[in-house]
Amino acid sequence: MGYDLNRFQGDVDEELVCAICNGVLEDPLQAPNCEHAFCKNCIQEWISRQPTCPVDRQHITSGQLRPVPRILRNLLSRLSINCDNAQHGCTSMLKLDTLARHLEECEFNPKRPLPCESGCGLIVPKDELKDHNCIKDLRGLVLQQQQKLMEFQQDLTEQRINTNELKKELQLLKDFMRAMKISNPTMRAIADAMERDEVVRWSNTLTRARVTRWGGMISTPDERLQRMIKRVLSEIGCPSHIIDDLMENCHERRWPPGLCALETRQNNRRQYENYVCKRVPGKQAVLVLACDNAHMSEDMMVEPGLVMIFAHGIE
């Protein structure tokens, strides 16, 4: 619906009047060919009943409607209109394009939000302040929040159930692929490719890390430290088919020839800077995955990669 003509100061050009509601155009749209303009709500409701222009009956659809030209919008914005709250005492005359901003701040707006001055701190519409009861409304607010919390917890439970079901289905699929991989050479190649792709996708989700003190490397981590790192890898989605291998490779007994002894590690220290390392969140440890380090020589890399744990020096 358009703006009531009686609210405007002076005469309003008929080109600015909606032919459907006979009010001044509000959020106007125009027909594509005849260019007749109407209020957005008016013309959309009209077209929902009969897809024709209300003035000349040319066929139009809702998707064909387009914004009116800027010159028409400028003419509308310059019209002077009284405030929506004139009946409540506001005497302001405003340019149409400033009306919305004025209504947000108009002191005569009965729905203007005001803080309760009795101490509860709630924001209440102006016309409801006289009937506002702090205790009653606070209790109602608490009940609303409790209801929202219950709904959130229910949604969270449902999501966890769905996630667990998806994990079970994924595990079944992986088990099936492994079985096929053993019995069928073609399926073996497909399964291997899928597993490689899964590792690459996971690696792309990890944050790059920089080692500043390679001398802080722990080459023989104890079981407690290994369990801690393994738990973190599981939490960040490490593919199940490589997690055990990665953890085995955190000890120097499984490291490649270029790292397997203190002397060789010292001789190859310059090559460390070429490693692409990914951070193990919250720990002084990095992942050096084979998929990220194809540029490294065979004596510096093993499949599916290394877990390097440090006493310090990870950024």
Side-chain angles (χ1 to χ4, degrees):
M1 292 291 291
Y3 301 100
D4 188 340
L5 278 168
N6 295 324
R7 294 180 57 187
F8 290 85
Q9 190 177 60
D11 296 331
V12 177
D13 191 294
E14 63 179 10
E15 294 295 326
L16 306 180
V17 176
C18 174
I20 300 174
C21 68
N22 293 320
V24 173
L25 294 167
E26 182 175 7
D27 295 331
L29 295 173
Q30 70 176 23
N33 297 321
C34 60
E35 297 185 347
H36 291 125
F38 312 93
C39 300
K40 179 180 179 179
N41 290 339
C42 293
I43 189 60
Q44 288 181 340
E45 182 179 351
W46 178 283
I47 289 177
S48 68
R49 297 195 304 267
Q50 48 183 328
T52 60
C53 172
V55 177
D56 57 24
R57 304 302 175 182
Q58 288 191 45
H59 178 79
I60 55 173
T61 64
S62 180
Q64 293 175 318
L65 296 171
R66 60 175 189 243
V68 298
R70 183 169 61 182
I71 186 171
L72 189 58
R73 296 197 301 272
N74 289 341
L75 290 173
L76 285 167
S77 68
R78 293 170 187 161
L79 295 177
S80 294
I81 186 173
N82 67 5
C83 177
D84 291 17
N85 302 312
Q87 59 181 328
H88 300 294
C90 184
T91 58
S92 299
M93 291 297 297
L94 316 136
K95 296 300 181 183
L96 188 56
D97 61 348
T98 66
L99 178 62
R101 185 166 64 251
H102 168 79
L103 290 175
E104 292 177 358
E105 304 172 353
C106 180
E107 60 180 301
F108 295 95
N109 181 3
K111 294 298 181 184
R112 181 185 178 194
L114 295 174
C116 170
E117 296 180 354
S118 299
C120 73
L122 291 178
I123 304 299
V124 183
K126 181 180 178 181
D127 61 349
E128 297 178 17
L129 269 176
K130 62 181 184 299
D131 298 321
H132 168 61
N133 182 302
C134 294
I135 296 177
K136 178 182 177 181
D137 289 353
L138 281 172
R139 184 181 293 118
L141 182 61
V142 169
L143 290 174
Q144 288 179 10
Q145 295 303 317
Q146 288 177 337
Q147 180 63 32
K148 289 181 179 179
L149 179 59
M150 290 174 61
E151 292 174 356
F152 173 77
Q153 291 174 334
Q154 183 177 356
D155 290 342
L156 186 60
T157 299
E158 292 176 357
Q159 289 176 9
R160 285 173 177 167
I161 292 173
N162 291 337
T163 300
N164 289 334
E165 290 298 324
L166 289 173
K167 286 181 178 178
K168 289 178 182 178
E169 292 179 7
L170 180 59
Q171 188 59 48
L172 287 173
L173 177 59
K174 289 180 177 179
D175 292 343
F176 172 76
M177 293 298 294
R178 288 194 185 97
M180 293 298 293
K181 178 178 176 180
I182 295 172
S183 61
N184 187 314
T186 301
M187 288 302 299
R188 183 181 305 125
I190 295 174
D192 288 343
M194 290 178 64
E195 289 181 348
R196 286 195 298 271
D197 290 344
E198 184 181 7
V199 175
V200 171
R201 286 195 299 271
W202 176 63
S203 176
N204 290 336
T205 67
L206 303 176
T207 303
R208 187 81 175 259
R210 187 168 76 91
V211 179
T212 59
R213 296 184 181 181
W214 288 98
M217 188 189 309
I218 301 174
S219 59
T220 57
D222 58 33
E223 292 185 4
R224 183 188 64 81
L225 191 53
Q226 291 185 48
R227 286 197 301 270
M228 185 187 305
I229 299 297
K230 184 175 182 179
R231 183 170 63 252
V232 174
L233 292 182
S234 178
E235 290 172 352
I236 63 174
C238 178
S240 58
H241 66 276
I242 67 167
I243 192 167
D244 288 336
D245 288 337
L246 284 176
M247 291 313 305
E248 284 290 329
N249 293 349
C250 75
H251 196 286
E252 68 176 7
R253 64 173 175 267
R254 290 286 296 269
W255 284 355
L259 300 176
C260 63
L262 179 60
E263 182 179 355
T264 55
R265 288 198 291 274
Q266 291 175 338
N267 292 337
N268 292 323
R269 182 166 294 188
R270 289 187 177 181
Q271 297 192 48
Y272 295 161
E273 298 299 327
N274 296 323
Y275 277 135
V276 175
C277 302
K278 298 296 180 67
R279 178 177 290 280
V280 177
K283 305 299 177 185
Q284 287 290 305
V286 298
L287 286 160
V288 183
L289 296 170
C291 63
D292 295 326
N293 289 276
H295 58 285
M296 298 297 292
S297 61
E298 290 185 2
D299 63 343
M300 296 295 291
M301 182 53 56
V302 293
E303 288 284 352
L306 305 167
V307 175
M308 291 184 173
I309 305 173
F310 293 80
H312 47 69
I314 304 297
E315 292 183 356

